[in-house]
Amino acid sequence: SPSSFILASIPGLEGAHFWMAIPLCSMYIMAVAGNCMVLFIVKTEPSLHVPMYFFLCMLAAIDLALSTSTVPRVLSFYWFNTREISFGACLVQMFFIHTLSAIESTILLAMAVDRYVAICHPLRHAAILTNATTAKIGLAAMVRGVLFFLPLPLLLLPLPFCSSRVLSHSFCLHQDVMNLACANTTPSVVYGLTAILLVMGLDALLICISYLLILKAVLRLASWKERLKVFSTCIAHICVVLAFYVPLIGLSVVHRFGKDLAPLVHIIMGNIYILVPAVLNPIIYGVRTKQIQRRILNFIHIHNNG
């Protein structure tokens, strides 16, 4: 195995790395501040102590962990030209990226089930989704992510690697590292695809089924006003699902069909995949949740008066 890999830079724009890192750093600060604010508000607002917002806290914690496991290393590369990442550190980073993404996918499915139960079986919602059940779902999501994606770096450990050690992203992803191996990678390819399909693919399918059942229940309501009122409770979750799955699919398409694309496309898609959900999730729920809006406005008002 190589002692290190080389993180991707944009050919011809090496001199602009310092300035390119500024918007990346700004988005990272927004992600950290926004998700920390969500955690604080849900913790201190008793009316938000319900499963939907406990799941939102889990999403916020995952986004903090995912962005923090990648962005500081990318900023170090852009600002201090530390392009090399050790083989061990690369495998650890890869494990965290894929495992945290799997956990986030599972939590998004749990939130879809929460919306289904709240709309289709409102009288049983409190009995089905108790705080203890919510905690167990969070633990199961974590165990599921670890069990499915721990083998990914382990499958790469025994492989010999070619002389080229240059990655196509500013961080380590399984398919990216695997493509540099000089051996039969079929087991790694098959397992990686199977894990993606059984976790993200299955979760996406079940989320779609949940919303089909929700839509069926909503259409039974008498008036359009009632239908819109009920379905509006799902808007924030739908936006968060799109913010997660669209960059994931885009990155997968770039990996599969974009071998001839410019390096800039790979780098931008990778950064979008890591940062966009972490930045958008607090904004989406901040806009859609009155309690969060009120606490943010109170904080701004107190800060301005101070």
Side-chain angles (χ1 to χ4, degrees):
S1 298
S3 59
S4 63
F5 291 107
I6 307 296
L7 300 175
S9 64
I10 303 172
L13 294 176
E14 288 83 0
H17 278 175
F18 180 87
W19 304 108
M20 291 167 58
I22 292 176
L24 192 66
C25 182
S26 301
M27 290 181 70
Y28 177 61
I29 292 171
M30 288 175 60
V32 171
N35 286 291
C36 285
M37 184 167 288
V38 166
L39 290 170
F40 175 77
I41 291 173
V42 173
K43 181 179 183 297
T44 56
E45 181 65 48
S47 64
L48 297 179
H49 291 178
V50 293
M52 188 66 178
Y53 293 100
F54 289 143
F55 289 136
L56 179 59
C57 283
M58 295 178 195
L59 276 189
I62 293 165
D63 287 336
L64 283 171
L66 183 57
S67 57
T68 302
S69 67
T70 52
V71 178
R73 184 64 186 82
V74 176
L75 294 176
S76 173
F77 160 42
Y78 281 162
W79 280 336
F80 306 110
N81 201 32
T82 53
R83 289 191 65 185
E84 287 197 35
I85 181 171
S86 70
F87 181 70
C90 187
L91 294 187
V92 170
Q93 187 183 66
M94 176 201 309
F95 166 74
F96 275 106
I97 290 173
H98 292 292
T99 300
L100 289 169
S101 297
I103 298 171
E104 182 159 359
S105 176
T106 307
I107 297 302
L108 289 173
L109 171 59
M111 295 172 82
V113 173
D114 172 81
R115 291 296 83 208
Y116 164 74
V117 175
I119 292 171
C120 299
H121 305 283
L123 298 179
R124 299 172 57 193
H125 181 259
I128 294 173
L129 283 167
T130 63
N131 290 345
T133 303
T134 304
K136 290 176 183 177
I137 292 172
L139 180 61
M142 188 180 303
V143 171
R144 183 191 189 213
V146 171
L147 290 179
F148 269 98
F149 288 94
L150 179 60
L152 289 185
L154 298 180
L155 286 170
L156 295 177
L157 272 175
L159 295 179
F161 285 82
C162 304
S163 56
S164 174
R165 297 178 294 128
V166 181
L167 301 172
S168 60
H169 294 288
S170 303
F171 47 83
C172 297
L173 292 174
H174 172 253
Q175 189 170 352
D176 199 12
V177 175
M178 181 184 64
N179 287 339
L180 299 179
C182 291
N184 181 18
T185 58
T186 301
S188 194
V189 171
V190 171
Y191 184 83
L193 181 61
T194 302
I196 290 289
L197 291 176
L198 290 179
V199 179
M200 283 77 158
L202 181 61
D203 290 348
L205 176 63
L206 294 176
I207 288 171
C208 290
I209 292 173
S210 297
Y211 274 104
L212 286 175
L213 294 174
I214 288 171
L215 190 60
K216 184 178 178 181
V218 168
L219 291 176
R220 291 200 198 104
L221 298 175
S223 69
W224 275 103
K225 186 176 180 180
E226 289 179 349
R227 294 172 186 174
L228 290 174
K229 183 179 179 181
V230 172
F231 196 74
S232 67
T233 62
C234 303
I235 296 299
H237 179 252
I238 292 172
C239 292
V240 168
V241 168
L242 292 175
F244 176 76
Y245 280 103
V246 171
L248 175 64
I249 294 170
L251 186 64
S252 300
V253 170
V254 166
H255 269 297
R256 180 65 183 86
F257 303 106
K259 293 181 180 180
D260 297 327
L261 292 174
L264 178 61
V265 176
H266 289 268
I267 292 172
I268 289 176
M269 285 303 302
N271 291 339
I272 287 174
Y273 169 66
I274 292 296
L275 273 174
V276 165
V279 172
L280 288 184
N281 290 355
I283 295 173
I284 291 168
Y285 274 94
V287 169
R288 297 293 305 177
T289 307
K290 292 180 180 179
Q291 296 95 322
I292 295 178
Q293 285 181 25
R294 186 173 64 248
R295 293 296 295 271
I296 293 173
L297 292 174
N298 288 343
F299 175 80
I300 295 172
H301 178 71
I302 293 170
H303 180 72
N304 288 338
N305 288 343

